[in-house]
């Protein structure tokens, strides 16, 4: 089977995995809507107790889904490079044009959508997680228009938009990373990037810097790991063939997942929050290993499950879902669920049952009109 044929067969799996990550984000933020669990200024430190805490505490860690998205982004962007013998198709300028067309129009539509909802319906603080998006300042608006909100006012307007800025900035370095791949190879480029990034993280930890969270810096390396995963899976070189066939990838996936669960429950919310850079690294390595393991066999059970038609369908509009779900959660909670005056546990269940289908429907409509017209024609480059 040629490299191109193998890439095409892998696309459904990528869409399914993207859908799972997006649903995890949605369910996690539904939980946060009821219990803004992070300590101020990013929440109120309100958390469930007793049995509800035992059953739902895993939803605190929706942050890990962002790591999966970042790894998938590096993976998908590297596929056409591998197909084109290590050369960026069309050159750097064309790459930036394709990325801008793919990412920016839906983002600006979602920005306008969020601002309109804030102006007319959800502009007052209500004690929910949405409060960290308020108020909207001139500085916040300008930073979001220039896509630099991850450096300033990262939670204003729509608290998920910080990651869009991170992704956009990672794209700026992608051509340089591709050049490193060509000149030095994937291993040396990955190790070099890892050395620079983790040295920076260590220095930030030592100095206890609060201006730049260490886990934000780590996102750069997870993007590189996605590129490495694509190289392992699809490169025809003998070294990478041996790696994908004989390294215990599935064991690594299980090991990373168990380690994350162990440390999260051992440390608890607050300590895990402070050491997210370590947990995020485990998540990124687990995602890399899952991507490679799913490519190893036509009868791979994990790939078949994740490539189900429903998940693949959801995977086609996860970007839209990610962009607009947070203000929709606030809207549904504020005007439908919360006025019923039930307890928080009941509110959470109702918000899941009512909010999830409504948000999926609205997200698909948003996708159809605000994202689909700007999709790149070649699916493997999206």
């Amino acid at each position: 089977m040629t490299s191109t044929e193998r890439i095409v067969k892998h696309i459904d799996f990528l869409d399914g995995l993207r859908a799972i990550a997006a649903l995890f984000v949605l369910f996690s933020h539904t939980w946060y809507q009821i219990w803004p669990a992070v300590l101020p200024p990013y929440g109120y430190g309100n958390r469930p107790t007793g049995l509800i805490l035992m059953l739902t505490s895993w939803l605190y860690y929706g942050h890990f889904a962002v790591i999966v998205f970042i790894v998938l982004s590096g993976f998908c962007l590297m596929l056409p490079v591998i197909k084109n013998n290590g050369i960026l198709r069309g050159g750097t300028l064309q790459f930036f044009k394709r990325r801008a067309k793919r990412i920016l129009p839906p983002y600006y539509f979602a920005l306008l959508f969020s601002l309109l909802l804030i102006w007319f319906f959800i502009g007052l603080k209500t004690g929910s997680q949405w409060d960290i998006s308020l108020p909207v300042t001139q500085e916040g608006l300008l930073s979001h228009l220039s896509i630099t909100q991850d450096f300033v006012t990262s939670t204003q307007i729509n608290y998920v938009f910080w990651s869009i800025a991170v992704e956009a900035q990672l794209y700026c370095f992608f051509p340089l990373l591709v050049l490193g791949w060509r000149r030095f190879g994937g291993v040396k480029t990955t190790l070099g990037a890892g050395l620079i990034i983790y040295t920076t993280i260590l220095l930030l930890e030592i100095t206890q810097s609060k201006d730049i969270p260490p886990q934000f810096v780590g996102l750069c390396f997870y993007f590189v790991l996605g590129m490495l995963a694509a190289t392992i899976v699809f490169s025809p070189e003998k070294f990478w063939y041996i790696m994908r066939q004989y390294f215990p990838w599935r064991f690594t996936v299980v090991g990373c997942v168990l380690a994350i669960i162990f440390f999260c429950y051992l440390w608890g919310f607050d300590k895990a929050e402070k050491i997210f850079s370590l947990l995020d690294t485990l998540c990124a390595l687990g995602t890399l290993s899952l991507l490679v393991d799913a490519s190893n066999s036509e009868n791979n059970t994990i790939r078949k499950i994740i490539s189900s038609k429903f998940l693949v369908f959801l995977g086609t509009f996860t970007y839209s879902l990610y962009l607009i779900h947070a203000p929709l959660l606030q809207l549904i909670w504020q005007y439908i669920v919360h006025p019923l005056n039930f307890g928080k546990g009941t509110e959470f269940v109702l918000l899941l049952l009512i909010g999830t289908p409504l948000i999926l429907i609205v997200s698909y409509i948003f996708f159809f009109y605000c994202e689909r017209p700007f999709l790149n024609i070649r699916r493997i480059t999206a």
Side-chain angles (χ1 to χ4, degrees), residues 11-27:
I11 298 301
D12 284 350
F13 172 77
L14 299 179
D15 283 342
L17 184 58
R18 195 178 286 115
I20 291 173
L23 288 174
F24 186 29
V25 169
L26 175 59
F27 296 156

Side-chain angles (χ1 to χ4, degrees), residues 17-323:
L17 184 58
R18 195 178 286 115
I20 291 173
L23 288 174
F24 186 29
V25 169
L26 175 59
F27 296 156
S28 176
H29 286 163
T30 301
W31 185 85
Y32 273 100
Q33 184 68 27
I34 307 300
W35 296 285
V38 180
L39 297 176
Y42 299 113
Y44 290 114
N46 296 334
R47 297 159 184 180
T49 58
L51 181 61
I52 296 178
L53 177 63
M54 292 177 60
L55 294 175
T56 65
S57 59
W58 57 280
L59 290 169
Y60 181 90
Y61 301 100
H63 167 84
F64 292 137
V66 176
I67 310 304
V68 175
F69 283 133
I70 294 294
V71 175
L72 283 174
S73 181
F75 186 93
C76 292
L77 289 180
M78 196 63 181
L79 297 188
V81 174
I82 295 171
K83 181 185 176 184
N84 202 35
N85 298 316
I87 300 173
L88 196 60
R89 182 171 58 86
T92 300
L93 183 60
Q94 284 300 316
F95 168 77
F96 288 146
K97 287 181 177 179
R98 290 194 302 270
R99 284 293 89 196
K101 179 185 174 184
R102 175 68 182 90
I103 298 298
L104 294 184
Y107 166 74
Y108 284 121
F109 278 123
L111 181 62
L112 177 61
F113 179 74
S114 300
L115 287 170
L116 288 174
L117 287 182
I118 289 171
W119 182 265
F120 290 107
F121 301 108
I122 53 175
L124 297 177
K125 293 190 176 185
T126 56
S128 71
Q129 184 64 36
W130 179 251
D131 287 0
I132 66 174
S133 299
L134 306 172
V136 178
T137 65
Q138 184 178 15
E139 181 185 26
L141 180 58
L142 290 175
S143 67
H144 280 74
L145 289 173
S146 60
I147 320 182
T148 56
Q149 65 269 20
D150 52 332
F151 293 108
V152 290
T153 64
S154 62
T155 64
Q156 272 193 32
I157 302 178
N158 186 326
Y159 58 76
V160 306
F161 281 175
W162 66 270
S163 64
I164 307 302
V166 172
E167 283 246 17
Q169 291 148 21
L170 287 174
Y171 297 154
C172 295
F173 291 99
F174 183 69
L176 184 62
L177 290 167
V178 171
L179 181 62
W181 234 260
R182 289 182 61 193
R183 291 192 176 182
F184 307 110
V187 174
K188 290 182 179 179
T189 303
T190 301
L191 291 176
L195 178 62
I196 294 171
I197 291 166
Y198 282 99
T199 299
T200 304
I201 289 175
L202 181 61
L203 291 173
L204 290 173
E205 295 283 6
I206 292 173
T207 59
Q208 296 184 338
S209 172
K210 296 181 180 179
D211 296 326
I212 305 177
Q215 63 264 30
F216 279 22
V217 179
L219 294 174
C220 303
F221 186 60
Y222 313 145
F223 183 79
V224 177
L225 288 181
M227 296 173 62
L228 180 64
T231 304
I232 296 171
V233 171
F234 296 112
S235 175
E237 294 180 15
K238 185 177 180 180
F239 173 77
W240 298 118
Y241 172 81
I242 293 172
M243 282 290 292
R244 66 175 169 260
Q245 291 295 324
Y246 298 108
F247 189 84
W249 298 108
R250 189 167 301 182
F251 176 81
T252 305
V253 174
V254 174
C256 288
V257 171
L258 292 178
I260 290 171
I261 294 172
F262 173 77
F263 286 124
C264 285
Y265 279 94
L266 176 67
W267 291 334
F269 294 156
D270 297 331
K271 188 172 181 180
E273 187 83 25
K274 293 178 180 178
I275 319 178
F276 258 146
S277 53
L278 170 62
L279 298 175
D280 289 351
T281 301
L282 290 172
C283 181
L285 290 173
T287 305
L288 178 152
S289 301
L290 179 61
L291 289 169
V292 180
D293 179 71
S295 72
N296 274 338
S297 170
E298 288 295 320
N299 297 315
N300 190 297
T301 303
I302 295 176
R303 189 168 78 179
K304 286 183 177 180
I305 294 173
I306 296 179
S307 300
S308 67
K309 290 183 178 180
F310 175 70
L311 289 176
V312 171
F313 170 69
L314 289 183
T316 60
F317 63 96
T318 51
Y319 183 43
S320 291
L321 172 60
Y322 186 80
L323 286 172

